[in-house]
Amino acid sequence: MSTPPLDDRDGVIWYDGRFVPWRDAQLHVLSHGLHYGGGVFEGERVYDGRVFKLTEHTERLHASARELGFQIPYSVEELDRATLELVARQGIRDGYVRPVAWRGSEQISVAGARASVHVALATWEWPHVFSEDAASLGIRLATSRWRRPAPDTAPVRAKAASLYNICTLARDAADEAGYDDALLLDYRGHVAEATGANLFLVSDGILYTPTPDCFLSGITRGTVLDLAADLGIEVVERHILPGELGDFEECFLTGTAYEVQPVRSIDAHEYRIGKTTRALSEAYTRLVHAPADAATGV
Ligand code: PMP
């Protein structure tokens, strides 16, 4: 059975402070967010009915909006409360939450200051990012011709909708070539990240990850770095060149949606799912299912 499109489902969406019927959560075609990319969003994961690191995500939504020069008209506390009420109303146990904020339709102009700001929250049952096989055997990446931009070219610290054009182009090209995802280099040619996840590599039991100076330093990335410290795994954060990719034995991606996702290959370089990847993946699964307050962030 195919899943219904996202605009044709039952339930409610939180929209500018009210719960509205799912199909009524619409916006005007002349919205700044649509024409000029005035929009930011989040992706959150619900485990056992709890939102993992909710407050961190809501704070990042606020920070992303500030990077784009607008203010979200609801406090972090208000959005956290609305999210929890929405998840409860929708009866989501294992799912996804998509908060989004965008500039409205007061004028058709690149200028954004006069545009109103709108916010919506939606949640639905968890969609798997990759097939079960790909998830357990590791996914295959191809290096994209698209690159992460320089910090003076784009608001690289924001989870901004406009930055995802690059990811969509890279992901579609990877899909078309028969890969699971793309690896993007940055504007200098350093290894950066995948289209929706951060990258880790392992050599001799040491964990390496690129310095996030021009791409999102993910919340999952931070969680995995904390888990590595707990497990006594040495971590090196540094610039990594594509020519080094053959020097590592293990590779994985991290992201709210990807979780800890093993990588089987990048171009012609092959990796195995080794001890370090397994240990971190298991520790991550334990943490997200832990009933502790630390897992909810609220
Ligand atoms: N990079 C990009 C481009 C992403 O879209 C994501 C997903 N939000 C990440 C990294 C990982 O971030 P997080 O762990 O906070 O989900």
Side-chain angles (χ1 to χ4, degrees), residues 60 159 164 193 195-198 216 218-221 254-256:
R60 188 170 68 181
K159 197 165 164 60
Y164 281 83
E193 59 170 351
T195 59
N198 292 116
L216 204 67
I219 290 171
T220 320
R221 180 184 184 278
T254 63
T256 300

Side-chain angles (χ1 to χ4, degrees), residues 120-191:
L121 308 168
T123 185
W124 59 92
E125 288 297 330
W126 180 240
H128 289 284
V129 180
F130 299 108
S131 72
E132 226 164 87
D133 261 7
S136 61
L137 299 173
I139 58 169
R140 296 170 60 243
L141 308 185
T143 303
S144 174
R145 72 184 183 87
W146 296 99
R147 293 187 173 194
R148 305 309 303 172
D152 59 358
T153 302
V156 295
R157 271 172 300 275
K159 197 165 164 60
S162 54
L163 284 171
Y164 281 83
N165 275 323
I166 305 166
C167 302
T168 301
L169 288 163
R171 177 64 193 258
D172 284 351
D175 284 351
E176 204 171 307
Y179 290 89
D180 299 302
D181 200 359
L183 169 70
L184 285 91
L185 307 181
D186 71 16
Y187 64 101
R188 296 160 295 197
H190 297 159
V191 169

